[in-house]
Every structure is written in structure tokens, then in C-alpha cells.
Amino acid sequence: MVRRADNTWCQAEVIQKRVNEVENQYEYYVHYENFNRRLDEWVLRDRIMASYDGMEAENGHDLGDSDRKITRNQKRKHDEINHVQKTYAEMDPTTAALEKEHEALTKVKYIDRIQIGRFEIDTWYFSPYPEEYGKCPKLWLCEFCLKYMRLEKTYRYHQGECNIRQPAGKDIYRKGNLSIYEVDGKDYKLYCQNLCLLAKLFLDHKTLYFDVEPFIFYILCEVDRYGAHIVGYFSKEKESPDGNNVACILTLPPYQRKGYGKLLIAFSYELSKLEQVTGSPEKPLSDLGKLSYRSYWSWVLLEILRDFRGTLSIKDLSGMTSITQGDIISTLQSLNLVKYWKGQHVICVTPKLIEEHLKSSEYKKPRLTVDITALRWTPPKKVNKTKKTSISHS
């Protein structure tokens, strides 16, 4: 049993130990059972109870017999909201094998915190920074060029020397104090590699760190008189054989729950509309990613269904939104707005049902939306290639 930061006791596995040089004693890296790995942390010995009697883990995930009393939809929502991870038994054999290998390689998170700009942020996952940096409890990052440093004095010196004040690449969207920059991984390789290493601290299943050339990065910033401060980003393959319009997507923790994630999602679909293609995010999505995408898709589809008069097919909705038919069907199924009849999916809605969904906080209008008039971007010209390069980037 281990005491968490909120003083609840949870069952946990001790994975590794190291010497805490500040406290001059051992600390232990623990994984809390039934919790996402981003909550893994280093704790001192006084938070660990080797055995316990009569105490029950307060992890909030013990569904027990109630599993049989809830629908699959309800259980899916419960698991998504509470970040319950699938067990290996629930996965297909190939996925389970890959997941075990991934977990073994990234089991211990050595970097506890980063300082970037005015924020000190607790990290969530392992990231493969070079050895002398990857084992530091804290890293210092320049928020403009994303250079990483081990020492505060090096960071302070760099701040005085660095004359970069915005991401590399083109400013393609400006609305109020928000800008989105388009950065080609081929043209700005080091910056994009540093961005990927930063992102891996908060994304569990990201596998690409150094081969950035086949990707374009769209970086969202808050702009003030001091410069453009990175809020989040998404990347996409220049040529996606699977039709993905997003490879990775991340909002940094200090900016989460402010509407930025859905703004990035909406922006990716606006680019797809201009390209006249449908797109879907690369799988697997993180637990937070699933929630954001499901909420965004639901809002977009509900808005159309509320205002449209006449008949609409799944194909029509896909053409209007650039959301793939598969994503539309799964979203409508979660809303109970589609039925499978005579070999095809048929949309079944009533005005009352639509309004009930739209009143829910889960499907409310995003705080931030894309203003198309502020977008300065034209789709790249398609070049016929005999050979395509496909790499993993999730």
C-alpha cells in the first residue's frame, strides 16, 4: 500500500529505487494498480506500507458485481472518464504483446519535472532524452527553441542569449492572442525533435522521436509582447497511407481544460476540408484524447442534425465535416442516434433527443472555435510518388 498525494491509500507495485540526494535517503518508483501510468511517481519510504489490515484501496475503480448491471456504453464511458486501462486479457494477442514490450521499455520515469517558461510541470511518462539528461529529476527547457538543459544556471544564461521568440516555420493562423505555426520536420529537424521529446513526457504511446522529416507540425501559441508561448500542437504525416489527419496531438498540462485541445482538433479538420479529404486521428489515442475527440465529434454532428431539414446519410455527414464514416458511426452509436437496418446504418433522431444531448455539458459548444477568415493556408500540391514511406508515429 502506498499513500498518494491526496492522502488516500492504494495498492501499488514498487518498480525501482534510487537515492534522493536532497533528502539523502532512498525513494521508490511506484505504479498504482488500476490507474493510468502517468500517475506513477517517486515516493519516500514513509509513504509506503508494506502490509495492511482492514484497509481497502481507495482507487475508485472497483466495479465488482456492478459490471453486470451497467450497459457496455456506460462501462466504456466510466473507463474513459476514470482512465481505467485495459488488462492484457482484454486485448487481442498482438496488441497485448506490443503493450508488454512498450511497458518494459518505458516503465520508469526518471524526469519528474520540467521548467518551461513560467511553468514548472510534473511529467507523466518516460521520454528518451540522452543519458545525461534522461536521468535528471528536473530538466529546464527554453519555451521558444525547446533546447533542454540540466542546470538552472545554464538555463538562465541561455535565456539571455537566445533570440528566438516564436516557433520556426510559418504563422498560418492568427486570431486575437492565438497563433498557429506550420513547421516542416524536414526544414527544422532539431526543433521538431526537441518538440517530440517534450511531448513524450505527456504521451504514453508516442514512438517517434528523431525521424521527423516525413511530418508537419502545427504549433498553437499564446502571443504576448514577450513572444509566442507554446500551448500545444499536433503533427500529421505529409503522406498518410491510412488517411490520418493527425499523428500526435497534445495540449501541455498548464493549458488543459481551456478549450485548446478541441481547437487543435477542429483546426485539423479545417485543413482536411480545404484538402477535400476525410481524416481520422492515428490510433491508439490516449485516454484524454479519446474524450476530447468523442466530445468534439458529438458536438459537430449534433449541431448539424439539429439544424438540418430533410434526410442525411452517414456519407453526407462525412462529406460535410471531413470526419470519416467509421468515426461518425461510432459517435452516433454512443449517442444512440443510429440503428443498423437491412445491412446499413440509418440515422434515427428526434428534435427532443438532439436538444437533450446538446444541453449536456459533455457536448456543449467548444469555448474556442476556428475562424476560417483568419486562416492563411493552401493545401500542398499532391505529388505522385512510386514509393511511399510509412512510419509509426502514435
Side-chain angles (χ1 to χ4, degrees):
M1 296 288 285
V2 176
R3 189 177 75 249
R4 298 182 63 212
D6 61 2
N7 284 324
T8 58
W9 289 89
C10 294
Q11 291 180 331
E13 174 189 3
V14 176
I15 296 171
Q16 199 167 102
K17 72 176 181 179
R18 71 181 180 190
V19 175
N20 183 314
E21 294 178 358
V22 176
E23 299 288 340
N24 196 27
Q25 60 177 297
Y26 279 118
E27 60 182 359
Y28 302 84
Y29 193 73
V30 299
H31 168 67
Y32 299 107
E33 292 183 13
N34 295 327
F35 279 85
N36 188 283
R37 290 201 307 142
R38 72 164 173 271
L39 300 174
D40 295 0
E41 61 180 337
W42 291 95
V43 301
L44 296 175
R45 180 65 183 84
D46 61 7
R47 287 176 56 183
I48 300 174
M49 182 166 52
S51 61
Y52 66 101
D53 184 26
M55 292 184 67
E56 191 171 332
E58 298 179 32
N59 54 26
H61 299 314
D62 185 13
L63 291 176
D65 293 338
S66 65
D67 258 0
R68 292 192 293 270
K69 300 172 186 173
I70 62 175
T71 66
R72 283 196 299 270
N73 241 3
Q74 289 170 325
K75 186 175 188 303
R76 176 188 59 75
K77 284 186 178 180
H78 173 279
D79 289 356
E80 284 183 358
I81 292 167
N82 292 287
H83 317 311
V84 178
Q85 292 185 295
K86 280 186 177 181
T87 64
Y88 293 135
E90 293 175 307
M91 302 175 188
D92 64 80
T94 303
T95 302
L98 290 170
E99 192 67 25
K100 285 178 183 177
E101 181 184 15
H102 168 78
E103 188 172 320
L105 290 170
T106 64
K107 198 155 195 173
V108 180
K109 171 188 69 183
Y110 292 100
I111 302 168
D112 297 324
R113 302 177 308 285
I114 60 168
Q115 183 77 39
I116 180 167
R118 69 182 191 274
F119 297 112
E120 182 181 67
I121 310 172
D122 291 334
T123 61
W124 294 356
Y125 302 110
F126 164 86
S127 182
Y129 280 92
E131 183 70 22
E132 64 270 32
Y133 300 93
K135 294 292 178 72
C136 292
K138 181 174 180 178
L139 280 185
W140 303 78
L141 277 72
C142 173
E143 65 175 323
F144 300 116
C145 73
L146 303 185
K147 175 182 171 69
Y148 47 90
M149 293 150 271
R150 290 181 299 158
L151 302 173
E152 182 178 1
K153 65 179 182 181
T154 312
Y155 171 74
R156 298 298 176 197
Y157 176 78
H158 174 83
Q159 280 186 311
E161 295 293 310
C162 184
N163 56 13
I164 295 172
R165 287 294 175 268
Q166 65 183 46
K170 296 180 291 186
D171 184 352
I172 63 169
Y173 182 84
R174 176 68 66 93
K175 177 75 173 180
N177 70 328
L178 298 180
S179 279
I180 296 177
Y181 296 81
E182 182 180 63
V183 183
D184 192 319
K186 184 178 180 181
D187 297 335
Y188 302 98
K189 190 172 180 179
L190 181 61
Y191 177 88
C192 294
Q193 287 174 341
N194 287 345
L195 176 61
C196 289
L197 286 169
L198 167 62
K200 179 61 190 74
L201 292 168
F202 306 101
L203 294 171
D204 192 13
H205 282 86
K206 182 176 172 57
T207 57
L208 176 83
Y209 321 111
F210 304 112
D211 189 9
V212 296
E213 293 188 17
F215 294 86
I216 296 179
F217 298 78
Y218 295 90
I219 299 157
L220 173 64
C221 296
E222 283 185 352
V223 182
D224 60 22
R225 61 195 178 100
Y226 301 107
H229 310 277
I230 183 169
V231 166
Y233 85 104
F234 71 88
S235 59
K236 64 185 287 188
E237 289 178 282
K238 296 171 185 175
E239 297 287 338
S240 174
D242 299 319
N244 295 318
N245 64 352
V246 165
C248 286
I249 185 166
L250 170 72
T251 304
L252 290 172
Y255 296 100
Q256 290 176 1
R257 305 187 70 82
K258 296 182 179 181
Y260 290 124
K262 285 181 189 168
L263 180 66
L264 286 169
I265 292 171
F267 194 81
S268 72
Y269 281 106
E270 293 302 336
L271 298 187
S272 293
K273 289 176 188 176
L274 290 172
E275 292 178 282
Q276 298 183 331
V277 297
T278 60
S280 184
E282 189 170 310
K283 312 302 188 296
L285 286 167
S286 68
D287 52 356
L288 297 177
K290 284 178 190 172
L291 287 171
S292 294
Y293 266 96
R294 179 74 70 192
S295 179
Y296 172 77
W297 289 332
S298 297
W299 172 73
V300 168
L301 298 175
L302 288 168
E303 286 284 308
I304 292 173
L305 292 172
R306 180 186 65 182
D307 299 332
F308 195 83
R309 296 293 175 266
T311 57
L312 267 178
S313 67
I314 304 291
K315 186 178 179 181
D316 293 333
L317 285 173
S318 183
M320 296 164 71
T321 62
S322 281
I323 302 171
T324 62
Q325 293 188 42
D327 289 335
I328 289 173
I329 289 169
S330 66
T331 302
L332 293 178
Q333 284 174 334
S334 73
L335 296 168
N336 292 318
L337 296 178
V338 68
K339 288 185 170 58
Y340 195 67
W341 187 66
K342 291 188 177 180
Q344 61 182 355
H345 290 93
V346 179
I347 300 170
C348 300
V349 301
T350 63
K352 184 181 178 183
L353 191 54
I354 295 290
E355 288 302 329
E356 283 178 0
H357 280 309
L358 285 171
K359 285 177 185 175
S360 164
S361 59
E362 194 175 349
Y363 309 124
K364 65 183 178 184
K365 181 178 179 178
R367 274 180 269 186
L368 300 169
T369 55
V370 178
D371 180 355
I372 290 300
T373 63
L375 176 59
R376 299 177 298 278
W377 187 82
T378 53
K381 291 180 180 178
K382 296 290 181 183
V383 179
N384 290 327
K385 292 184 179 180
T386 54
K387 186 178 179 182
K388 287 186 178 179
T389 302
S390 173
I391 64 173
S392 175
H393 182 61
S394 56

mmCIF file of all heavy atoms in Angstrom, residues 1 8-11 52-59 62:
data_model
loop_
_atom_site.group_PDB
_atom_site.id
_atom_site.type_symbol
_atom_site.label_atom_id
_atom_site.label_comp_id
_atom_site.label_asym_id
_atom_site.label_seq_id
_atom_site.Cartn_x
_atom_site.Cartn_y
_atom_site.Cartn_z
ATOM 1 N N MET A 1 0.845 -1.191 0.000
ATOM 2 C CA MET A 1 0.000 0.000 0.000
ATOM 3 C C MET A 1 0.888 1.252 0.000
ATOM 4 O O MET A 1 1.889 1.308 0.710
ATOM 5 C CB MET A 1 -0.903 0.021 1.224
ATOM 6 C CG MET A 1 -1.900 -1.124 1.278
ATOM 7 S SD MET A 1 -3.208 -0.942 0.061
ATOM 8 C CE MET A 1 -4.174 0.339 0.811
ATOM 9 N N THR A 8 -4.940 9.322 0.204
ATOM 10 C CA THR A 8 -5.628 8.032 0.105
ATOM 11 C C THR A 8 -4.591 6.932 -0.058
ATOM 12 O O THR A 8 -3.516 7.145 -0.629
ATOM 13 C CB THR A 8 -6.595 8.007 -1.086
ATOM 14 O OG1 THR A 8 -5.862 8.266 -2.295
ATOM 15 C CG2 THR A 8 -7.699 9.032 -0.929
ATOM 16 N N TRP A 9 -4.917 5.741 0.453
ATOM 17 C CA TRP A 9 -4.010 4.594 0.352
ATOM 18 C C TRP A 9 -4.443 3.719 -0.816
ATOM 19 O O TRP A 9 -5.620 3.418 -0.966
ATOM 20 C CB TRP A 9 -4.019 3.786 1.650
ATOM 21 C CG TRP A 9 -3.349 4.488 2.795
ATOM 22 C CD1 TRP A 9 -3.915 5.334 3.691
ATOM 23 C CD2 TRP A 9 -1.966 4.404 3.138
ATOM 24 N NE1 TRP A 9 -2.985 5.796 4.580
ATOM 25 C CE2 TRP A 9 -1.770 5.232 4.279
ATOM 26 C CE3 TRP A 9 -0.875 3.706 2.619
ATOM 27 C CZ2 TRP A 9 -0.522 5.379 4.883
ATOM 28 C CZ3 TRP A 9 0.374 3.851 3.227
ATOM 29 C CH2 TRP A 9 0.543 4.686 4.341
ATOM 30 N N CYS A 10 -3.493 3.328 -1.634
ATOM 31 C CA CYS A 10 -3.801 2.497 -2.810
ATOM 32 C C CYS A 10 -2.813 1.345 -2.920
ATOM 33 O O CYS A 10 -1.643 1.473 -2.536
ATOM 34 C CB CYS A 10 -3.715 3.328 -4.097
ATOM 35 S SG CYS A 10 -4.950 4.610 -4.199
ATOM 36 N N GLN A 11 -3.305 0.257 -3.492
ATOM 37 C CA GLN A 11 -2.407 -0.849 -3.800
ATOM 38 C C GLN A 11 -1.469 -0.410 -4.912
ATOM 39 O O GLN A 11 -1.889 0.222 -5.880
ATOM 40 C CB GLN A 11 -3.204 -2.073 -4.229
ATOM 41 C CG GLN A 11 -4.008 -2.699 -3.096
ATOM 42 C CD GLN A 11 -4.792 -3.913 -3.560
ATOM 43 O OE1 GLN A 11 -5.175 -4.003 -4.714
ATOM 44 N NE2 GLN A 11 -5.028 -4.840 -2.658
ATOM 45 N N TYR A 52 -0.985 -4.338 5.210
ATOM 46 C CA TYR A 52 -2.069 -3.569 5.823
ATOM 47 C C TYR A 52 -3.162 -4.528 6.255
ATOM 48 O O TYR A 52 -3.266 -5.643 5.774
ATOM 49 C CB TYR A 52 -2.629 -2.536 4.845
ATOM 50 C CG TYR A 52 -3.322 -3.120 3.640
ATOM 51 C CD1 TYR A 52 -4.702 -3.177 3.574
ATOM 52 C CD2 TYR A 52 -2.572 -3.623 2.568
ATOM 53 C CE1 TYR A 52 -5.337 -3.712 2.463
ATOM 54 C CE2 TYR A 52 -3.207 -4.156 1.462
ATOM 55 C CZ TYR A 52 -4.592 -4.195 1.413
ATOM 56 O OH TYR A 52 -5.211 -4.729 0.317
ATOM 57 N N ASP A 53 -3.974 -4.077 7.189
ATOM 58 C CA ASP A 53 -5.013 -4.938 7.739
ATOM 59 C C ASP A 53 -6.308 -4.161 7.830
ATOM 60 O O ASP A 53 -6.384 -3.136 8.507
ATOM 61 C CB ASP A 53 -4.591 -5.428 9.120
ATOM 62 C CG ASP A 53 -5.603 -6.404 9.701
ATOM 63 O OD1 ASP A 53 -6.308 -7.052 8.900
ATOM 64 O OD2 ASP A 53 -5.692 -6.501 10.935
ATOM 65 N N GLY A 54 -7.298 -4.616 7.117
ATOM 66 C CA GLY A 54 -8.615 -3.999 7.228
ATOM 67 C C GLY A 54 -8.766 -2.715 6.455
ATOM 68 O O GLY A 54 -9.766 -2.033 6.594
ATOM 69 N N MET A 55 -7.754 -2.348 5.645
ATOM 70 C CA MET A 55 -7.877 -1.133 4.838
ATOM 71 C C MET A 55 -8.172 -1.529 3.406
ATOM 72 O O MET A 55 -7.689 -2.543 2.912
ATOM 73 C CB MET A 55 -6.588 -0.311 4.874
ATOM 74 C CG MET A 55 -6.315 0.295 6.228
ATOM 75 S SD MET A 55 -4.849 1.330 6.189
ATOM 76 C CE MET A 55 -5.422 2.643 5.138
ATOM 77 N N GLU A 56 -8.963 -0.750 2.759
ATOM 78 C CA GLU A 56 -9.334 -1.043 1.374
ATOM 79 C C GLU A 56 -8.811 0.056 0.468
ATOM 80 O O GLU A 56 -8.889 1.233 0.794
ATOM 81 C CB GLU A 56 -10.868 -1.111 1.252
ATOM 82 C CG GLU A 56 -11.319 -1.672 -0.092
ATOM 83 C CD GLU A 56 -12.816 -1.941 -0.101
ATOM 84 O OE1 GLU A 56 -13.370 -2.212 0.985
ATOM 85 O OE2 GLU A 56 -13.408 -1.872 -1.169
ATOM 86 N N ALA A 57 -8.221 -0.339 -0.646
ATOM 87 C CA ALA A 57 -7.663 0.644 -1.579
ATOM 88 C C ALA A 57 -8.756 1.561 -2.094
ATOM 89 O O ALA A 57 -9.794 1.097 -2.549
ATOM 90 C CB ALA A 57 -6.982 -0.068 -2.746
ATOM 91 N N GLU A 58 -8.498 2.862 -2.036
ATOM 92 C CA GLU A 58 -9.492 3.840 -2.483
ATOM 93 C C GLU A 58 -9.163 4.288 -3.906
ATOM 94 O O GLU A 58 -8.848 5.428 -4.157
ATOM 95 C CB GLU A 58 -9.495 5.039 -1.535
ATOM 96 C CG GLU A 58 -9.876 4.670 -0.110
ATOM 97 C CD GLU A 58 -9.826 5.888 0.789
ATOM 98 O OE1 GLU A 58 -10.094 6.998 0.308
ATOM 99 O OE2 GLU A 58 -9.515 5.742 1.969
ATOM 100 N N ASN A 59 -9.221 3.325 -4.842
ATOM 101 C CA ASN A 59 -8.834 3.712 -6.197
ATOM 102 C C ASN A 59 -10.014 4.057 -7.083
ATOM 103 O O ASN A 59 -9.829 4.468 -8.224
ATOM 104 C CB ASN A 59 -7.998 2.601 -6.867
ATOM 105 C CG ASN A 59 -8.700 1.259 -6.851
ATOM 106 O OD1 ASN A 59 -9.919 1.222 -6.806
ATOM 107 N ND2 ASN A 59 -7.938 0.170 -6.879
ATOM 108 N N ASP A 62 -13.169 -0.095 -8.455
ATOM 109 C CA ASP A 62 -13.647 -1.429 -8.141
ATOM 110 C C ASP A 62 -15.125 -1.531 -8.489
ATOM 111 O O ASP A 62 -16.000 -1.293 -7.676
ATOM 112 C CB ASP A 62 -13.421 -1.709 -6.648
ATOM 113 C CG ASP A 62 -13.784 -3.145 -6.294
ATOM 114 O OD1 ASP A 62 -13.951 -3.938 -7.237
ATOM 115 O OD2 ASP A 62 -13.898 -3.449 -5.096
#
